[in-house]
Amino acid sequence: MSKRRCSAENCPALIPTGQRRCPKHARAYEVQRGRRQARGYDTAYDRERRRQDDIVQLGRARCWRCGKPIAPGTPWHLGHDDNDRSIIRGPEHAACNLSAAGRASHPRIFED
């Protein structure tokens, strides 16, 4: 298995390809992110996720970002509003959600 360096600055640790951080820096990163409830994943979110899963699996859901149907059995996320994480927008393709997160995390790369 090939190895790569931990993505933390100046960390010499070699980790398996596919991981981003060594165990020490992975723990620090998770602490910095905060608990899932602080990131908008509370009981109400979990309840809405279960409710929307039924709709997605019946093939009746559309991605709130792109407007295209979400095929049953494909990866999907229950998306938050980009500016207010207390607002749940609805189901979205996993790729649409991750793309939006990448653009938000790296705005200079995606500027026109």
Side-chain angles (χ1 to χ4, degrees), residues 8-99:
E9 192 172 335
N10 298 322
C11 180
L14 292 175
I15 56 174
T17 300
Q19 291 183 12
R20 297 196 62 191
R21 296 171 185 85
C22 66
K24 173 186 169 187
H25 289 109
R27 278 189 301 277
Y29 176 76
E30 289 303 318
V31 167
Q32 177 266 330
R33 286 179 71 202
R35 294 184 172 268
R36 73 185 292 274
Q37 291 85 357
R39 296 190 322 264
Y41 305 107
D42 56 9
T43 304
Y45 177 89
D46 294 340
R47 188 178 316 114
E48 183 64 12
R49 167 81 187 177
R50 285 189 301 274
R51 190 179 78 76
Q52 292 290 340
D53 188 53
D54 292 340
I55 295 166
V56 170
Q57 298 316 318
L58 289 171
R60 296 182 180 159
R62 289 193 167 273
C63 176
W64 77 268
R65 279 190 198 277
C66 73
K68 295 179 182 174
I70 301 173
T74 60
W76 68 280
H77 296 168
L78 183 57
H80 288 98
D81 183 84
D82 292 336
N83 299 311
D84 183 350
R85 291 192 59 79
S86 69
I87 300 170
I88 297 172
R89 290 289 181 193
E92 60 185 321
H93 298 104
C96 289
N97 186 351
L98 297 174
S99 270

